[in-house]
Amino acid sequence: MRKMIIAGNWKMNKDIKETFDFLLPLKNNLIGQNLNVEVVVCPPFTSLFIASDILRETNIKIGAQNMFYEVEGAYTGEISPKMLKSVRCEYVILGHSERRRYFGETDEIVNKKVKKAIEFGLKPIVCVGETLEERESGETFKVLEKQIKGVLEGLTYEQMRNVIIAYEPVWAIGTGRNATPDQAQEAQRFIRELVAGLFNDGIAQNLTIQYGGSVTPENAYSLLSQPDVDGALVGGASLKVDAFLKIIKAGETASVEKKN
Ligand code: 13P
């Protein structure tokens, strides 16, 4: 049975004080609860150290929002997988559409990052998704296929066990217009079938595929109860403790239902 993962991508939000103000109540709310879902928070780099300190001895995991594919050296402004490990990161978001759009990341670059992350024991949350223009011209599957093949190029079966995919349609990110449960299910089943063809069925069945794009407490359950939606990568709604807790709860309910 694959693991449901609810991850909060804070993007470029929250300084140190705001990190405290969010994580203390989150921790207090979840403490002692034996959840089926894995809860991950992905603060900006400047808050990773303090976040991992606050969340020490809890089940809440830490992820970064990006990393470089080299380990150290003259790469001004970059952060390496070794550094992320040293602040006890377990996850790293790679290839987010905002990285692709504003910072020129390509599938090839993301592929290098995925391999390096796994080499250092980090679990990459690899983002794929079509733009509105691509969806409207009927190219969604074609775009997803190209991205999935590109970002997973050359990975071994063993490496694939550590990969998480996030299907994030670009038109749904930060727009308040989420994919419908049917749209998410259709795209995510396509991704799973693609991975089965590229690797094997066992790997595809174990692969956690998250949905991301305007996930809210209101729509979370209907999305997460879809058979191929194994979690959420939440932006805006992950910045407020109450909203994030409700999404975690929706994930927990959906996860328990899928088990039975
Ligand atoms: P929103 O939930 O704000 O739409 O952002 C989604 C996202 O990009 C998560 O990585």
Side-chain angles (χ1 to χ4, degrees), residues 20-163:
F20 262 105
D21 291 347
F22 179 93
L23 290 179
L24 290 179
L26 182 78
K27 172 176 152 172
N28 289 337
N29 263 282
L30 295 181
I31 219 149
Q33 291 197 34
N34 205 359
L35 294 174
N36 278 284
V37 295
E38 174 114 312
V39 178
V40 184
V41 288
C42 304
F45 290 132
T46 45
S47 284
L48 285 175
F49 181 74
I50 197 72
S52 71
D53 206 45
I54 299 168
L55 299 178
R56 193 192 288 263
E57 288 164 20
T58 72
N59 289 332
I60 306 166
K61 305 290 198 301
I62 308 275
Q65 299 173 20
N66 181 34
M67 54 159 248
F68 195 47
Y69 51 73
E70 295 291 347
V71 182
E72 54 194 13
Y75 303 101
T76 303
E78 291 296 319
I79 298 285
S80 83
K82 181 166 167 264
M83 295 165 183
L84 295 182
K85 282 303 278 187
S86 76
V87 288
R88 293 192 294 274
C89 270
E90 290 187 37
Y91 291 85
V92 58
I93 300 170
L94 295 175
H96 191 281
S97 65
E98 288 149 15
R99 300 289 323 162
R100 294 173 185 261
R101 180 168 168 205
Y102 301 120
F103 305 98
E105 289 198 12
T106 60
D107 291 332
E108 203 183 342
I109 293 173
V110 177
N111 179 248
K112 282 188 183 180
K113 293 185 173 189
V114 169
K115 287 176 180 158
K116 215 36 147 188
I118 297 170
E119 189 185 316
F120 276 79
L122 292 158
K123 293 181 196 131
I125 299 177
V126 192
C127 304
V128 295
E130 80 287 359
T131 62
L132 186 59
E133 198 185 354
E134 288 161 346
R135 174 161 283 265
E136 285 178 344
S137 52
E139 288 179 355
T140 298
F141 290 161
K142 199 176 107 191
V143 170
L144 291 178
E145 181 166 350
K146 183 170 171 290
Q147 290 177 338
I148 289 285
K149 282 184 174 163
V151 297
L152 302 181
E153 164 74 33
L155 263 69
T156 64
Y157 288 18
E158 198 52 40
Q159 286 172 317
M160 272 304 289
R161 286 183 216 287
N162 299 293
V163 170

Side-chain angles (χ1 to χ4, degrees), residues 9 11 93 96 98 168 172-175 212-215 233-237:
N9 174 9
K11 307 192 180 183
I93 300 170
H96 191 281
E98 288 149 15
E168 296 210 313
I173 296 176
T175 58
S214 296
V215 174
L233 185 54
V234 188

